[in-house]
Amino acid sequence: MSLGSRIRQLRKERKMTLVDLAGEQITKGMLSLIENDKSKPSMETLNYIAKKLNVSIGYLTQEGDEEWTKNVLENRDFYSSFSFPFEIVEQEVLPNLDKVAQNLKGMELYHVLRIYYRYKKNHSQADSYSQKISNFYRSIGMEHLVVREKLDDAISLMFSQDYTEAFYHLLDSEEEILSFKEYDSRIELDYYYVKGMFAVSVDMETFENVLNWSIKLSYKHENFKYFFTENITLGYYYGLTGNQAQYNICCNNIQNYLKFNRQDRHEIEIIDENNPIPTFYVLVKDKEKHVALYEDYINRMKKVYQNNPDEILGRSFFKAILEVEHTYFKGEYRKVIEMYDDGMYLRTTAQHPVDRILMAIRSCVYPLSLHYSGEKEKAIKAFTKIESTIDDIKDSVFATEFYMIGDIIFEKQNDSH
């Protein structure tokens, strides 16, 4: 939107005539020329118009098209956890970069572009958008957003699955980020949560210590934003490493949390409330019990989606997964083979390393079904293909069950399934 168009739009929004806005300092004719972009106002005139409209000069002179930027960001595909709008970015945004408004909404769109280039592993281009965002916040005196942008920049590296780089990038900004905790206690909690989760790919001792510290901060600030996820992840870790005491603490934390913080999302995140943090997702001991749990889980999910018809992102993703896993636990292996699709467990959006490993583990219902159906060569091939999706994190402790499944498929141990 041009300067003249913005002035005219604001004048009309305030139900002012040309005469009202012109006042005694400029003529109606001069204002008309300015609004039609046929004359550029002096700084003195611009300052006068801004005061009359009760906005800053910076707001009047910002570049780009506010309406276009706002409309682009209203597309729900930008907020999906299951897909990234590559086509929209390439067909609508990149050819119209001059339309990106230089305001807070424009910075949101720049963040989308940064993620796009992280996906493409074009880090120099992504970094240029990080710089644009920081420069904008600094130019309008919002230094706290400049600091928070450093956290967002590190998080953006997750989309290229460069977890180790993201961790050290975050450490480089630690002092500056935490210097703002006096003004914004949330930034401290955000920082330690992100640091702890990224540490999964770097140092498990740091992962454990930082997430436990973050949980203590949750109590201190009475802000339980990450409490659920932290306890689920830590509990899973303790379950895999045999630390039963700490595992029980995390399970109790989740059960107590759900008593006071029940949300719809929890209905689709926990299969068994009596055992909220499972250690095994596929190699379960009691398959009949798991069949019943899945049936209840599927019914709970249906209710959630019925009660929230506008929040359907991910429904098809989860529905397909649940149906194939439910079929597997019923022992209908041939049907699993027919239902399964290679892309079923893969998101185009980046996932945290633990999430990626869990999706790989759960997708093993397919090679296991092939194995139990006697198609052992196909089972090995399918398992190897899944393994390639977690090649960068396959040595993680969280991959324990995955390789236990591999031992079954490669017949390195006996299993009665």
Side-chain angles (χ1 to χ4, degrees), residues 134-146:
S134 292
N135 289 344
F136 171 78
Y137 290 147
R138 192 170 285 111
S139 72
I140 59 175
M142 301 183 78
E143 198 63 33
H144 66 291
L145 291 182
V146 176

Side-chain angles (χ1 to χ4, degrees), residues 353-370:
V354 178
D355 291 330
R356 285 175 57 209
I357 292 170
L358 280 177
M359 285 293 104
I361 290 169
R362 293 171 66 177
S363 67
C364 281
V365 296
Y366 175 62
L368 281 171
S369 293
L370 287 168

Side-chain angles (χ1 to χ4, degrees), residues 171-204:
L171 285 187
D172 289 340
S173 304
E174 180 171 308
E175 184 177 351
E176 187 174 4
I177 291 172
L178 293 182
S179 70
F180 265 73
K181 67 181 181 181
E182 294 180 29
Y183 312 101
D184 180 5
S185 62
R186 294 173 302 172
I187 202 168
E188 182 181 24
L189 197 62
D190 292 343
Y191 174 78
Y192 282 115
Y193 168 73
V194 174
K195 179 181 177 181
M197 297 302 270
F198 279 156
V200 167
S201 297
V202 181
D203 176 18
M204 293 309 294

Side-chain angles (χ1 to χ4, degrees), residues 71-166:
N71 288 338
V72 169
L73 286 171
E74 284 176 353
N75 192 312
R76 294 184 68 201
D77 289 340
F78 282 106
Y79 309 99
S80 171
S81 299
F82 304 93
S83 62
F84 184 81
F86 289 100
E87 189 173 317
I88 296 173
V89 169
E90 291 168 355
Q91 295 183 7
E92 295 185 31
V93 181
L94 292 179
N96 295 291
L97 289 177
D98 59 318
K99 291 185 178 181
V100 179
Q102 299 305 292
N103 58 15
L104 293 176
K105 284 291 183 184
M107 297 309 106
E108 285 183 36
L109 195 49
Y110 277 163
H111 178 60
V112 172
L113 288 170
R114 170 168 58 190
I115 291 173
Y116 170 81
Y117 284 112
R118 294 295 186 206
Y119 273 124
K120 300 291 185 180
K121 295 191 179 292
N122 185 340
H123 293 303
S124 61
Q125 193 65 45
D127 291 342
S128 73
Y129 280 104
S130 297
Q131 192 62 50
K132 285 177 184 287
I133 296 169
S134 292
N135 289 344
F136 171 78
Y137 290 147
R138 192 170 285 111
S139 72
I140 59 175
M142 301 183 78
E143 198 63 33
H144 66 291
L145 291 182
V146 176
V147 174
R148 184 163 282 280
E149 160 58 21
K150 293 183 179 295
L151 185 61
D152 292 339
D153 186 36
I155 293 171
S156 75
L157 284 161
M158 180 178 70
F159 293 88
S160 57
Q161 298 178 350
D162 294 327
Y163 307 117
T164 301
E165 184 178 347

Side-chain angles (χ1 to χ4, degrees), residues 340-346 363 366 382 385-386:
Y340 182 84
D341 178 82
D342 274 341
M344 190 177 285
Y345 287 82
L346 297 177
S363 67
Y366 175 62
K385 188 172 184 179
I386 294 169

Side-chain angles (χ1 to χ4, degrees), residues 282-283 340 342 346 357 359-371 375-391 394 399-412:
V282 175
L283 301 180
Y340 182 84
D342 274 341
L346 297 177
I357 292 170
M359 285 293 104
I361 290 169
R362 293 171 66 177
S363 67
C364 281
V365 296
Y366 175 62
L368 281 171
S369 293
L370 287 168
H371 177 80
E375 300 184 51
K376 297 185 178 181
E377 288 301 318
K378 286 185 179 179
I380 291 171
K381 185 177 180 181
F383 179 86
T384 303
K385 188 172 184 179
I386 294 169
E387 184 180 27
S388 69
T389 68
I390 57 168
D391 187 61
K394 64 183 180 182
T400 299
E401 184 181 5
F402 184 79
Y403 286 106
M404 289 174 68
I405 293 170
D407 286 343
I408 295 169
I409 290 171
F410 285 90
E411 299 186 323
K412 294 182 180 179

Side-chain angles (χ1 to χ4, degrees), residues 57-70:
I57 291 179
Y59 184 84
L60 286 181
T61 58
Q62 62 182 283
E63 299 172 12
D65 187 324
E66 289 177 72
E67 197 62 30
W68 178 86
T69 302
K70 179 183 175 184

Side-chain angles (χ1 to χ4, degrees), residues 324 327-328 332-340 365 369:
V324 78
T327 303
Y328 170 79
E332 299 174 6
Y333 303 128
R334 294 306 312 176
K335 191 172 180 181
V336 170
I337 295 168
E338 293 170 5
M339 295 169 67
Y340 182 84
V365 296
S369 293

